[in-house]
Amino acid sequence: MPLDRFGRNINYLRISVIDHCNFRCVYCMPLDTSQYVPSSQLLTPVEIERVVRAAAGVGFEKIRLTGGEPTLRSDLLEIVDRIARVDGIRDVSMTTNGVLLPRLAKPLADAGLNRVNLHIDSLDPQRFAKVMRFGTLSEAWAGLEAAECAGLTPIKINAVVVRDYNEQDVVELARLTIDKPWTIRFIELMPLGNNECARLAKDNFVSSADSMRRIEEALGTLAPVDNPNEADESVNYRLADAEGIVGFISPVSEPYCGTCNRMRLTADGRFHLCLLNDDELDVRAALRGDGGDAEVREILIKAVQAKPTGHRLHEGISTAQRSMFQIGG
Ligand code: SAM
Ligand code: SF4
């Protein structure tokens, strides 16, 4: 098991496969983004598989694909197929805005993807467009239905709560769980990068406590639900007689660094050691050099050992070099 120097069992690798996106969510990606990782510098499906083999070899079990928008990667099916076949990997999931899932959900499930987290910030078409800018609610909803139909379940929905954009929408999103066996998770805004998205994340912050109060005022008590997975960053609740779960992810107001079990791999082949920190270790050079798989494994072990704990958001310090779309959440 890959224990880090703080005794945390790091067994979950989040792989960003691309930094392009077909949305421009206000807190994630500046409207005028034009600099992307050139395709020659993106890890190839074979290189991603080699990293996953190294990870499985030291005890990693869970893989999540993210981006940017992972479904924009034209060789995504090959990536999933290669990862899903690696011995020791027992869960392959993906975080997506969902708009391309009507075409991709079934082939992704056939390639070995187990489940998806869909990102839907509002059930109001106007406010959805205000927060996520390039997408539409009906497209995202069609993606959710396609995912459910293809068996990419249990369905989880991520919603980032932003003051003056969608803070009232937590009620209608939470209401979905009454009839649907879905998990709706509300995420506190994090400021990443040095741009207008980071400034908005600071200025328009809404705490999970505020979102919870708003939901309880409208829909009644949220009763705590035991979470068997202690590394799950979401604190979960259930409305009375509800089918689904309402969760709160609160990295700012209630940091969960002590139970963090993740390593992150960027689309350009760097282990990013903590979401809210700039430290990285390059693995692409090793993948493309003569060191072979032993060197890839060594770099991963070094990355796990160097993983920091405890973010410094309260001191105004966060990841400066990369924005969220360049890491993958
Ligand atoms: N495009 C996909 C999506 O939106 O789900 C995957 C990549 S996106 C960077 C991964 C997750 O990061 C999203 O689900 C969104 O909820 C979250 N996210 C993006 N920017 C954020 C921010 N500034 N603070 C908190 N969460 C953020
Ligand atoms: Fe794109 Fe996801 Fe970032 Fe929104 S949160 S801009 S969908 S990468």
Side-chain angles (χ1 to χ4, degrees):
M1 289 291 172
L3 289 188
D4 75 355
R5 66 205 151 109
F6 304 102
R8 298 174 298 186
N9 179 14
I10 313 299
N11 63 2
Y12 173 23
L13 181 62
R14 296 179 63 103
I15 303 176
S16 172
V17 294
I18 193 166
D19 59 347
H20 278 262
C21 190
N22 43 4
F23 282 19
R24 288 290 183 281
C25 301
V26 287
Y27 41 73
C28 177
M29 194 162 178
L31 264 187
D32 59 359
T33 303
S34 56
Q35 298 270 315
Y36 298 103
V37 175
S39 48
S40 64
Q41 292 177 25
L42 290 174
L43 294 191
T44 65
V46 171
E47 288 167 341
I48 292 173
E49 178 189 347
R50 285 178 62 199
V51 175
V52 172
R53 281 193 190 287
V58 297
F60 279 74
E61 297 173 328
K62 288 174 60 181
I63 303 290
R64 175 173 296 277
L65 301 178
T66 178
E69 177 44 45
T71 56
L72 292 183
R73 187 87 191 223
S74 58
D75 48 9
L76 182 64
L77 293 176
E78 182 186 348
I79 294 172
V80 171
D81 180 61
R82 286 178 176 276
I83 292 173
R85 289 167 190 272
V86 172
D87 272 350
I89 296 303
R90 58 173 178 82
D91 184 38
V92 184
S93 61
M94 181 173 76
T95 300
T96 172
N97 62 36
V99 300
L100 296 179
L101 286 183
R103 176 161 56 82
L104 283 173
K106 175 79 171 60
L108 281 167
D110 290 346
L113 189 73
N114 298 123
R115 58 199 178 88
V116 287
N117 285 17
L118 291 133
H119 177 193
I120 298 179
D121 285 341
S122 173
L123 295 179
D124 174 89
Q126 273 78 40
R127 286 196 295 275
F128 181 101
K130 188 177 170 192
V131 189
M132 303 181 89
R133 299 198 282 207
F134 284 15
T136 70
L137 175 63
S138 56
E139 288 171 315
W141 198 260
L144 185 156
E145 289 177 338
E148 197 167 43
C149 204
L152 295 172
T153 55
I155 296 282
K156 291 187 183 173
I157 298 177
N158 291 338
V160 183
V161 188
V162 192
R163 185 168 56 76
D164 297 338
Y165 284 80
N166 68 340
E167 77 262 54
Q168 65 271 61
D169 295 313
V170 297
V171 172
E172 290 314 306
L173 284 161
R175 198 191 296 277
L176 289 174
T177 66
I178 295 174
D179 295 326
K180 299 285 187 185
W182 300 341
T183 296
I184 316 284
R185 309 186 315 166
F186 298 107
I187 305 176
E188 284 182 349
L189 273 173
M190 288 172 271
L192 271 81
N194 272 322
N195 55 33
E196 71 261 28
C197 298
R199 285 188 286 282
L200 178 130
K202 286 182 189 155
D203 295 344
N204 296 50
F205 178 78
V206 180
S207 71
S208 290
D210 282 349
S211 296
M212 191 166 165
R213 198 171 311 119
R214 194 183 282 272
I215 292 168
E216 289 197 306
E217 276 169 16
L219 303 177
T221 304
L222 283 163
V225 173
D226 278 346
N227 196 337
N229 176 8
E230 74 146 21
D232 189 348
E233 75 277 38
S234 172
V235 180
N236 294 332
Y237 299 84
R238 199 186 287 276
L239 290 164
D241 300 324
E243 294 283 324
I245 302 278
V246 177
F248 296 91
I249 299 180
S250 317
V252 179
S253 67
E254 288 177 45
Y256 38 79
C257 306
T259 54
C260 180
N261 65 342
R262 291 129 204 250
M263 181 52 64
R264 294 176 168 83
L265 179 66
T266 63
D268 54 351
R270 281 156 175 80
F271 289 118
H272 188 92
L273 309 190
C274 161
L275 180 59
L276 297 167
N277 196 299
D278 279 320
D279 298 343
E280 294 188 344
L281 278 181
D282 181 23
V283 70
R284 194 184 65 210
L287 287 162
R288 295 185 181 178
D290 302 327
D293 290 339
E295 192 181 351
V296 173
R297 178 188 163 104
E298 232 167 76
I299 294 170
L300 176 56
I301 291 171
K302 214 181 268 179
V304 168
Q305 286 310 313
K307 204 176 142 53
T309 190
H311 68 60
R312 296 167 71 192
L313 286 181
H314 52 284
E315 296 170 46
I317 297 170
S318 178
T319 301
Q321 308 295 331
R322 291 190 190 259
S323 295
M324 192 66 107
F325 71 95
Q326 296 162 318
I327 305 174

